[in-house]
Amino acid sequence: MNNKFLFACNLKMNLLQPKFYRRALKNKFVDNLIVCPNFCDIKAYSRLKNKFGVKIGAQNVCEKPSGAFTGDVSAAMLKNVGADYCIVGHSEQKKYHFETLAKINKKAKILLEHNITPIICVGEEIKKGAEYAKKYVKEELNIVLSGLDAKKIIVAYEPIWSIGTGDVPTNQHISAVCTQIKKTCGCSKVLYGGSFSKNNYKQIAEAKGVDGALIGGASLKPLEIVEMMENLK
Ligand code: PGA
């Protein structure tokens, strides 16, 4: 991927057919958009790859390669339907499915073995300033990146208190945390996530150390996503 501001759209558990992204993109070819639909729609979204350049990601993966794991989806299966990226360690998985940092590390490992780029989420739960966030994220990264080649990984800094709340950290805070992440772990890209929208994207895109955004709510409005991408060109 290039140096353009990266838009990673996490559709979460929402039905949004690929045609809405197709219509929003019209005849544009983009190289800085990753769409992460639910498992069932990955194959349908993969059809946008050739014509529009869109990259496709999953929202989760099982850390095991195959076998008796009812309800789980393996890295090989994701690759098979066209996923090249996969979000791991999202705070909603931590909250509702008790995902541990050790498990996130295993998931990232198996994704790399299948040539899928992990987008690993980290971030503090409580709003306590940039110094606290830096320390919190550093401790998380020590575990989730253990034994992995960070150069092949995208890290998403998502302060949990900012997700879906409209409460966004200052650019100074975002820069301090994202710059530290890049410097200490050497990952390929650092994304910011949490209430990213058409109201704040220009400002966030200016934050030092930020290579793109992991976007939840706003990604359900493909027209707005494409407009933001155009305006940041
Ligand atoms: P949000 O979600 O943009 O709706 O805050 C971000 C995320 O959960 O990745």
Side-chain angles (χ1 to χ4, degrees):
M1 259 202 193
N2 49 36
N3 288 330
K4 285 185 200 153
F5 193 84
L6 181 61
F7 284 72
C9 293
N10 173 11
L11 304 185
K12 305 197 179 185
M13 199 173 73
N14 293 293
L15 267 182
L16 180 80
Q17 292 169 13
K19 69 178 177 200
F20 294 106
Y21 267 91
R22 205 173 54 223
R23 283 177 193 161
L25 286 160
K26 283 187 198 123
N27 41 24
K28 294 184 187 70
F29 190 88
V30 291
D31 53 6
N32 54 336
L33 174 63
I34 305 173
V35 182
C36 306
N38 67 80
F39 287 136
C40 306
D41 286 340
I42 292 176
K43 201 167 185 173
Y45 269 89
S46 290
R47 297 193 191 105
L48 302 180
K49 287 211 262 185
N50 286 344
K51 186 159 178 221
F52 300 97
V54 179
K55 315 272 191 304
I56 305 301
Q59 296 173 17
N60 196 10
V61 67
C62 179
E63 71 280 14
K64 301 280 198 299
S66 65
F69 301 99
T70 303
D72 279 326
V73 173
S74 72
M77 290 166 180
L78 294 182
K79 194 76 198 174
N80 209 26
V81 287
D84 297 308
Y85 294 81
C86 181
I87 299 168
V88 278
H90 191 278
S91 64
E92 284 146 19
Q93 282 296 320
K94 287 178 179 140
K95 182 171 171 193
Y96 300 117
H97 299 287
F98 313 105
E99 183 144 275
T100 63
L101 298 177
K103 204 184 230 189
I104 295 165
N105 173 256
K106 286 189 187 144
K107 290 184 174 191
K109 184 163 183 278
I110 201 153
L111 287 170
L112 289 174
E113 283 166 7
H114 288 82
N115 268 323
I116 298 174
T117 304
I119 302 174
I120 303 184
C121 304
V122 293
E124 75 283 8
E125 262 172 76
I126 315 163
K127 186 176 183 178
K128 266 186 166 183
E131 284 312 304
Y132 171 80
K134 275 161 69 179
K135 194 163 163 276
Y136 191 100
V137 162
K138 197 170 171 196
E139 283 168 15
E140 282 194 301
L141 286 173
N142 275 342
I143 302 170
V144 295
L145 293 179
S146 165
L148 304 180
D149 183 358
K151 288 195 299 295
K152 297 185 174 159
I153 288 170
I154 296 176
V155 174
Y157 168 53
E158 299 209 299
I160 298 173
W161 52 268
S162 174
I163 295 178
T165 60
D167 190 5
V168 175
T170 60
N171 263 24
Q172 214 177 1
H173 175 126
I174 296 175
S175 285
V177 182
C178 292
T179 310
Q180 173 194 272
I181 293 174
K182 203 46 136 340
K183 253 203 289 196
T184 54
C185 78
C187 58
S188 71
K189 284 188 186 294
V190 182
L191 310 182
Y192 165 76
S195 297
F196 183 91
S197 74
K198 66 177 189 340
N199 302 324
N200 55 30
Y201 73 102
K202 283 190 179 151
Q203 185 193 323
I204 294 174
E206 276 174 10
K208 239 178 64 204
V210 177
D211 302 306
L214 182 55
I215 308 159
S219 64
L220 299 177
K221 295 183 180 151
L223 281 170
E224 284 183 13
I225 293 291
V226 174
E227 192 187 322
M228 290 190 254
M229 291 178 74
E230 286 286 298
N231 290 342
L232 287 185
K233 256 187 196 163

